[in-house]
Short mmCIF file of all heavy atoms in Angstrom, two decimals:
data_model
loop_
_atom_site.label_atom_id
_atom_site.label_comp_id
_atom_site.label_asym_id
_atom_site.label_seq_id
_atom_site.Cartn_x
_atom_site.Cartn_y
_atom_site.Cartn_z
N GLU S 1 0.83 -1.21 0.00
CA GLU S 1 0.00 0.00 0.00
C GLU S 1 0.87 1.26 0.00
O GLU S 1 0.54 2.25 -0.64
CB GLU S 1 -0.95 0.02 1.20
CG GLU S 1 -2.03 -1.04 1.15
CD GLU S 1 -1.54 -2.44 1.54
OE1 GLU S 1 -0.50 -2.57 2.23
OE2 GLU S 1 -2.19 -3.40 1.12
N ASP S 2 1.98 1.21 0.74
CA ASP S 2 2.91 2.35 0.79
C ASP S 2 3.53 2.60 -0.58
O ASP S 2 3.68 3.75 -1.01
CB ASP S 2 4.02 2.11 1.81
CG ASP S 2 3.49 1.90 3.23
OD1 ASP S 2 2.46 2.50 3.58
OD2 ASP S 2 4.11 1.10 3.96
N THR S 3 3.89 1.52 -1.26
CA THR S 3 4.53 1.67 -2.57
C THR S 3 3.51 2.16 -3.60
O THR S 3 3.86 2.96 -4.47
CB THR S 3 5.18 0.35 -3.04
OG1 THR S 3 4.18 -0.64 -3.19
CG2 THR S 3 6.25 -0.12 -2.08
N LEU S 4 2.27 1.68 -3.50
CA LEU S 4 1.23 2.16 -4.41
C LEU S 4 1.01 3.66 -4.25
O LEU S 4 0.93 4.40 -5.24
CB LEU S 4 -0.08 1.41 -4.17
CG LEU S 4 -0.19 0.02 -4.78
CD1 LEU S 4 -1.39 -0.74 -4.21
CD2 LEU S 4 -0.28 0.09 -6.28
N ALA S 5 0.93 4.12 -3.02
CA ALA S 5 0.74 5.55 -2.76
C ALA S 5 1.92 6.36 -3.30
O ALA S 5 1.73 7.40 -3.95
CB ALA S 5 0.56 5.81 -1.27
N ALA S 6 3.13 5.87 -3.08
CA ALA S 6 4.33 6.58 -3.57
C ALA S 6 4.35 6.63 -5.09
O ALA S 6 4.70 7.65 -5.69
CB ALA S 6 5.59 5.92 -3.02
N ALA S 7 3.99 5.52 -5.73
CA ALA S 7 3.99 5.47 -7.20
C ALA S 7 2.93 6.42 -7.77
O ALA S 7 3.18 7.12 -8.77
CB ALA S 7 3.74 4.04 -7.67
N GLN S 8 1.77 6.46 -7.14
CA GLN S 8 0.72 7.35 -7.63
C GLN S 8 1.11 8.82 -7.44
O GLN S 8 0.85 9.65 -8.30
CB GLN S 8 -0.61 7.02 -6.96
CG GLN S 8 -1.15 5.70 -7.48
CD GLN S 8 -2.34 5.16 -6.70
OE1 GLN S 8 -2.51 5.45 -5.52
NE2 GLN S 8 -3.15 4.35 -7.36
N GLU S 9 1.77 9.14 -6.32
CA GLU S 9 2.26 10.51 -6.10
C GLU S 9 3.30 10.86 -7.15
O GLU S 9 3.31 11.97 -7.69
CB GLU S 9 2.87 10.63 -4.69
CG GLU S 9 1.86 10.67 -3.58
CD GLU S 9 2.52 10.66 -2.20
OE1 GLU S 9 3.70 11.08 -2.08
OE2 GLU S 9 1.85 10.22 -1.24
N PHE S 10 4.20 9.91 -7.44
CA PHE S 10 5.24 10.12 -8.46
C PHE S 10 4.58 10.39 -9.81
O PHE S 10 5.00 11.30 -10.55
CB PHE S 10 6.14 8.89 -8.53
CG PHE S 10 7.27 9.02 -9.51
CD1 PHE S 10 8.48 9.60 -9.13
CD2 PHE S 10 7.15 8.55 -10.81
CE1 PHE S 10 9.54 9.72 -10.03
CE2 PHE S 10 8.19 8.65 -11.72
CZ PHE S 10 9.39 9.24 -11.32
N ALA S 11 3.56 9.61 -10.16
CA ALA S 11 2.86 9.79 -11.44
C ALA S 11 2.25 11.19 -11.53
O ALA S 11 2.37 11.87 -12.56
CB ALA S 11 1.79 8.72 -11.62
N GLU S 12 1.62 11.62 -10.45
CA GLU S 12 0.99 12.94 -10.43
C GLU S 12 2.02 14.06 -10.54
O GLU S 12 1.78 15.07 -11.22
CB GLU S 12 0.15 13.11 -9.17
CG GLU S 12 -1.10 12.25 -9.17
CD GLU S 12 -1.81 12.22 -7.82
OE1 GLU S 12 -1.50 13.05 -6.94
OE2 GLU S 12 -2.69 11.34 -7.66
N SER S 13 3.16 13.92 -9.89
CA SER S 13 4.14 15.00 -9.88
C SER S 13 5.03 15.03 -11.13
O SER S 13 5.54 16.09 -11.49
CB SER S 13 5.02 14.92 -8.63
OG SER S 13 5.85 13.79 -8.68
N THR S 14 5.19 13.90 -11.82
CA THR S 14 6.10 13.85 -12.97
C THR S 14 5.39 13.68 -14.31
O THR S 14 5.99 13.92 -15.36
CB THR S 14 7.10 12.69 -12.84
OG1 THR S 14 6.38 11.45 -12.91
CG2 THR S 14 7.91 12.79 -11.56
N GLY S 15 4.15 13.22 -14.27
CA GLY S 15 3.45 12.93 -15.52
C GLY S 15 3.70 11.52 -16.04
O GLY S 15 3.19 11.14 -17.09
N ALA S 16 4.51 10.75 -15.31
CA ALA S 16 4.74 9.35 -15.70
C ALA S 16 3.41 8.61 -15.67
O ALA S 16 2.54 8.91 -14.86
CB ALA S 16 5.75 8.69 -14.77
N HIS S 17 3.26 7.64 -16.55
CA HIS S 17 2.01 6.89 -16.63
C HIS S 17 2.04 5.73 -15.64
O HIS S 17 2.94 4.89 -15.70
CB HIS S 17 1.80 6.38 -18.06
CG HIS S 17 0.40 5.99 -18.32
ND1 HIS S 17 -0.59 6.89 -18.61
CD2 HIS S 17 -0.20 4.78 -18.29
CE1 HIS S 17 -1.73 6.25 -18.77
NE2 HIS S 17 -1.53 4.96 -18.58
N PHE S 18 1.07 5.66 -14.74
CA PHE S 18 1.01 4.61 -13.73
C PHE S 18 0.51 3.32 -14.37
O PHE S 18 -0.53 3.29 -15.01
CB PHE S 18 0.08 5.02 -12.58
CG PHE S 18 -0.04 3.96 -11.51
CD1 PHE S 18 1.03 3.66 -10.69
CD2 PHE S 18 -1.22 3.27 -11.33
CE1 PHE S 18 0.92 2.68 -9.70
CE2 PHE S 18 -1.35 2.29 -10.36
CZ PHE S 18 -0.26 2.00 -9.54
N ILE S 19 1.27 2.24 -14.18
CA ILE S 19 0.90 0.92 -14.70
C ILE S 19 0.46 0.06 -13.53
O ILE S 19 1.27 -0.42 -12.73
CB ILE S 19 2.09 0.25 -15.44
CG1 ILE S 19 2.66 1.17 -16.53
CG2 ILE S 19 1.66 -1.11 -16.01
CD1 ILE S 19 1.68 1.54 -17.63
N HIS S 20 -0.85 -0.11 -13.42
CA HIS S 20 -1.41 -0.88 -12.31
C HIS S 20 -1.11 -2.37 -12.52
O HIS S 20 -1.10 -2.85 -13.65
CB HIS S 20 -2.93 -0.65 -12.23
CG HIS S 20 -3.51 -1.05 -10.93
ND1 HIS S 20 -3.77 -2.36 -10.62
CD2 HIS S 20 -3.85 -0.33 -9.84
CE1 HIS S 20 -4.26 -2.43 -9.39
NE2 HIS S 20 -4.32 -1.20 -8.90
N PRO S 21 -0.88 -3.12 -11.45
CA PRO S 21 -0.52 -4.54 -11.60
C PRO S 21 -1.65 -5.43 -12.12
O PRO S 21 -1.39 -6.51 -12.63
CB PRO S 21 -0.10 -4.97 -10.20
CG PRO S 21 -0.61 -3.93 -9.27
CD PRO S 21 -0.79 -2.67 -10.06
N PHE S 22 -2.91 -4.98 -12.01
CA PHE S 22 -3.99 -5.83 -12.50
C PHE S 22 -5.25 -5.08 -12.91
O PHE S 22 -6.08 -5.62 -13.62
CB PHE S 22 -4.37 -6.89 -11.45
CG PHE S 22 -4.79 -6.32 -10.13
CD1 PHE S 22 -6.08 -5.88 -9.91
CD2 PHE S 22 -3.86 -6.20 -9.09
CE1 PHE S 22 -6.46 -5.35 -8.69
CE2 PHE S 22 -4.22 -5.67 -7.86
CZ PHE S 22 -5.53 -5.25 -7.66
N ASP S 23 -5.42 -3.87 -12.49
CA ASP S 23 -6.69 -3.17 -12.65
C ASP S 23 -6.73 -2.30 -13.91
O ASP S 23 -6.92 -1.09 -13.84
CB ASP S 23 -6.99 -2.34 -11.41
CG ASP S 23 -8.44 -1.88 -11.35
OD1 ASP S 23 -9.26 -2.41 -12.11
OD2 ASP S 23 -8.74 -1.00 -10.54
N HIS S 24 -6.57 -2.94 -15.07
CA HIS S 24 -6.72 -2.26 -16.35
C HIS S 24 -7.02 -3.30 -17.41
O HIS S 24 -6.40 -4.38 -17.40
CB HIS S 24 -5.45 -1.47 -16.71
CG HIS S 24 -5.68 -0.55 -17.87
ND1 HIS S 24 -5.66 -1.01 -19.16
CD2 HIS S 24 -5.97 0.77 -17.92
CE1 HIS S 24 -5.91 0.00 -19.98
NE2 HIS S 24 -6.10 1.09 -19.25
N PRO S 25 -7.93 -3.02 -18.33
CA PRO S 25 -8.27 -4.02 -19.35
C PRO S 25 -7.08 -4.52 -20.17
O PRO S 25 -7.03 -5.71 -20.52
CB PRO S 25 -9.28 -3.28 -20.24
CG PRO S 25 -9.89 -2.24 -19.36
CD PRO S 25 -8.79 -1.83 -18.40
N ASP S 26 -6.11 -3.66 -20.48
CA ASP S 26 -4.94 -4.12 -21.24
C ASP S 26 -4.11 -5.11 -20.43
O ASP S 26 -3.58 -6.08 -20.97
CB ASP S 26 -4.05 -2.94 -21.65
CG ASP S 26 -4.69 -2.07 -22.72
OD1 ASP S 26 -5.59 -2.56 -23.44
OD2 ASP S 26 -4.28 -0.89 -22.83
N VAL S 27 -3.97 -4.85 -19.14
CA VAL S 27 -3.22 -5.76 -18.26
C VAL S 27 -3.95 -7.11 -18.18
O VAL S 27 -3.33 -8.17 -18.32
CB VAL S 27 -3.01 -5.15 -16.86
CG1 VAL S 27 -2.36 -6.16 -15.92
CG2 VAL S 27 -2.18 -3.88 -16.95
#
């Protein structure tokens, strides 16, 4: 949960695209 929060914060601050481990139709 800590890593998910950090990754989402990173995505918001840098514009990097967050790749969820399972919650996306392409995944």
Side-chain angles (χ1 to χ4, degrees):
E1 292 78 22
D2 300 327
T3 62
L4 281 167
Q8 288 170 334
E9 286 174 25
F10 182 87
E12 290 170 13
S13 69
T14 66
H17 197 80
F18 179 69
I19 306 299
H20 197 281
F22 57 83
D23 195 14
H24 191 280
D26 290 338
V27 174

